[in-house]
Amino acid sequence: MATPKIPEEPFPIYLVSSRYFLYDADVISHVRRIHRMCGCLTGTLPQIPQQNVFLGLPLELMSEEALLLVEKGAGYIVDDVRTHECGLRDILEEDKKAYLEDREEGKRRGAEEYVRRMEEKKNVFVRERNNDDGEAGEGEAEDGVEGETVFENSSTSNSKAASTIAAMAANAVMYYPTASTSHQIYHCPPDPSSTEITAPLPERTQGYPLYKHLHENGYFLSPGLRFGAQYMAYPGDPLRFHSHFVVNGLGWDDEIDMRDVVGGGRLGTGVKKAWMVGGEDEEGKVRTFCIEWGGF
């Protein structure tokens, strides 16, 4: 098994329209393995826009996750749009030329590979048709003329099929789509010392004290919207464990309606979890309370 690549810290967290993203697979693996943060994959394949089961890069982080990574010195926030515009302005001409040449070379290689596969299919098709026609010709050889007629028709059919496949292969050279690339082509990498973007403010991240408290106690946390809560708390990696709590963070002086307590307790118990609420008290200490409904 290959040793996982360990990225350098701090790594960039890209801010796009008030949302936080990671694009590097090695960074995402590192964040999950070392910092116990899973985020949510949001990427889809270009040719499958309705893909909604197995998503891919980029990974979107909750604002609480981004804030905690910044506080730990593991990451820093980068304005993705501004960085990209800066890079395009400062791009070197030789880099642009090399990128365009590499793109055309990739297009040519892709078209050649497509043509090679089409040629293989053509040869297999012609070979199978000849074998079938040979067997038919042997069975009708007693009639003489009919056998020759069948062979000529099959030969014409093979020729037309081969011509069609050859035409498709020729068109591939002209219309083969440009391969996508993910490497940087500009000399303006994000630098933590030059970034002007700060992490989300804790007061704007409701429930952050409770999130941080649970994270420091070894829990994995993920968005809990599908269970009507802020977070889901797992005792280990969500790929291996079921969640133990549905979690809501509150201010210390926030009032809780009794119907919310009853509904939260019944909801948590109904999905085999405990309903947790908590917040930071006046002394800066986080306190948590769990509610389960008895008799279910």
Side-chain angles (χ1 to χ4, degrees):
M1 180 180 296
T3 303
K5 183 179 179 181
I6 301 177
E8 295 184 1
E9 293 187 357
F11 45 77
I13 302 170
Y14 294 90
L15 175 63
V16 183
S17 299
S18 302
R19 300 166 67 183
Y20 301 91
F21 293 93
L22 296 176
Y23 294 94
D24 191 320
D26 293 325
V27 172
I28 292 172
S29 174
H30 176 75
V31 167
R32 187 180 189 117
R33 188 174 63 254
I34 303 301
H35 298 288
R36 303 193 310 280
M37 297 180 186
C38 302
C40 295
L41 292 169
T42 59
T44 59
L45 299 175
Q47 295 180 344
I48 313 179
Q50 300 300 321
Q51 174 187 359
N52 57 9
V53 178
F54 299 105
L55 302 180
L57 300 181
L59 181 86
E60 182 177 356
L61 297 173
M62 294 189 295
S63 55
E64 293 88 345
E65 293 172 323
L67 175 56
L68 187 55
L69 287 171
V70 171
E71 284 188 358
K72 296 170 66 174
Y76 60 97
I77 308 300
V78 172
D79 188 325
D80 187 74
V81 174
R82 187 175 62 187
T83 300
H84 188 72
E85 291 176 347
C86 172
L88 290 179
R89 284 197 307 267
D90 299 337
I91 186 174
L92 302 178
E93 192 61 33
E94 54 267 28
D95 287 338
K96 182 178 180 180
K97 181 179 179 181
Y99 169 75
L100 293 175
E101 290 177 351
D102 181 68
R103 188 178 67 174
E104 289 301 317
E105 177 65 19
K107 181 179 179 180
R108 184 187 62 80
R109 290 195 302 267
E112 289 179 350
E113 176 63 20
Y114 180 80
V115 170
R116 185 187 64 79
R117 292 200 302 267
M118 295 298 291
E119 286 290 337
E120 290 180 354
K121 290 182 179 180
K122 180 188 72 174
N123 294 334
V124 171
F125 176 79
V126 172
R127 189 162 54 247
E128 291 178 350
R129 288 295 299 269
N130 286 338
N131 291 338
D132 294 341
D133 294 337
E135 294 176 0
E138 291 176 2
E140 298 174 2
E142 297 177 358
D143 296 331
V145 177
E146 292 184 5
E148 293 178 1
T149 303
V150 171
F151 180 77
E152 290 177 0
N153 290 339
S154 63
S155 177
T156 303
S157 176
N158 287 346
S159 178
K160 289 182 179 179
S163 299
T164 301
I165 296 176
M168 293 173 60
N171 290 335
V173 179
M174 182 179 299
Y175 299 109
Y176 190 82
T178 302
S180 61
T181 58
S182 59
H183 62 275
Q184 295 182 354
I185 61 172
Y186 46 78
H187 292 273
C188 186
D191 183 0
S193 62
S194 63
T195 181
E196 299 177 3
I197 303 298
T198 58
L201 298 177
E203 56 267 25
R204 295 183 181 178
T205 309
Q206 185 180 16
Y208 177 70
L210 179 57
Y211 171 89
K212 184 177 180 180
H213 171 75
L214 293 174
H215 185 274
E216 290 176 346
N217 282 275
Y219 285 92
F220 282 70
L221 288 102
S222 67
L225 180 61
R226 64 182 181 274
F227 287 103
Q230 281 184 276
Y231 316 111
M232 303 289 295
Y234 299 81
D237 193 300
L239 292 176
R240 300 180 58 195
F241 296 90
H242 289 290
S243 57
H244 283 186
F245 304 102
V246 289
V247 183
N248 283 321
L250 301 172
W252 187 250
D253 295 326
D254 289 351
E255 295 184 0
I256 306 177
D257 194 292
M258 183 56 65
R259 287 175 298 181
D260 294 334
V261 175
V262 174
R266 290 173 65 92
L267 170 66
T269 305
V271 293
K272 299 180 180 180
K273 310 177 195 316
W275 186 64
M276 176 187 291
V277 295
E280 188 175 37
D281 62 19
E282 298 175 350
E283 300 178 355
K285 181 180 180 181
V286 176
R287 300 183 63 186
T288 61
F289 302 87
C290 293
I291 299 173
E292 293 184 66
W293 200 260
F296 267 52

